[in-house]
Amino acid sequence: RAISDNTADGVVHEYQVVGLDVTDRRKAEELSKQQSRILEMVARGIAQTEIFEELCRLCEAGIANSFAAIVMFDADIKNVRELVVPSVGDEHAQWLEHEFPRVVAPKVRDLLQSEEIVSSDELRKALSPEALETGTAAGIAAGWVVPVRSSADGDLLGAVGVMQSERRERLA
């Protein structure tokens, strides 16, 4: 909105412009639509895998150059029950399907038993050189993992992770 203050002879004496950035409001509206879509999927009884894929895409939409993953453990948290990584390329899908449960998931599970968030730096310390090499080849430079816990007893059920193709400086 613009307002001008003119003198009697029509010369502009003052000009004021007021702008309103609606970016955050639009992002919040879009997030609300996506959340509603996911809740609708749950209400309609859509398969859990499809809901997890949608949740991953929701995470990816909010973080540039990223892909998200959801891993769910079985009841005794010894094995991977489900792994959903919808945006990973075909060249890495096979490794994720066969090697992630054996190589990475146990380390993530162990770290999440005592942590509420696991950074890529912590994962690097825990993973084998082979797993790190594969992650680097997949374009993973950074990321974080948070636990999915039972609201009833706090037991670890799974994890949500977001990986990025470039490292960023840690915020203090």
Side-chain angles (χ1 to χ4, degrees), residues 31-94:
L31 179 61
S32 179
K33 284 179 191 175
Q34 291 171 329
Q35 288 172 335
S36 293
R37 174 167 161 61
I38 291 168
L39 288 172
E40 179 184 348
M41 292 173 77
V42 170
R44 292 184 183 275
I46 302 296
Q48 181 174 294
T49 301
E50 291 180 51
I51 294 169
F52 286 170
E53 288 174 355
E54 194 66 26
L55 285 168
C56 286
R57 288 189 187 96
L58 177 61
C59 291
E60 294 164 355
I63 302 171
N65 301 317
S66 70
F67 69 90
I70 295 176
V71 60
M72 299 305 288
F73 299 112
D74 61 11
D76 61 3
I77 69 164
K78 293 195 184 308
N79 299 300
V80 172
R81 179 173 49 85
E82 186 163 13
L83 174 64
V84 178
V85 192
S87 299
V88 72
D90 290 340
E91 67 276 13
H92 302 294
Q94 184 176 8

Side-chain angles (χ1 to χ4, degrees), residues 20-38:
L20 180 62
D21 185 357
V22 295
T23 304
D24 289 341
R25 184 177 72 197
R26 290 217 173 112
K27 284 181 182 178
E29 288 169 355
E30 183 60 29
L31 179 61
S32 179
K33 284 179 191 175
Q34 291 171 329
Q35 288 172 335
S36 293
R37 174 167 161 61
I38 291 168

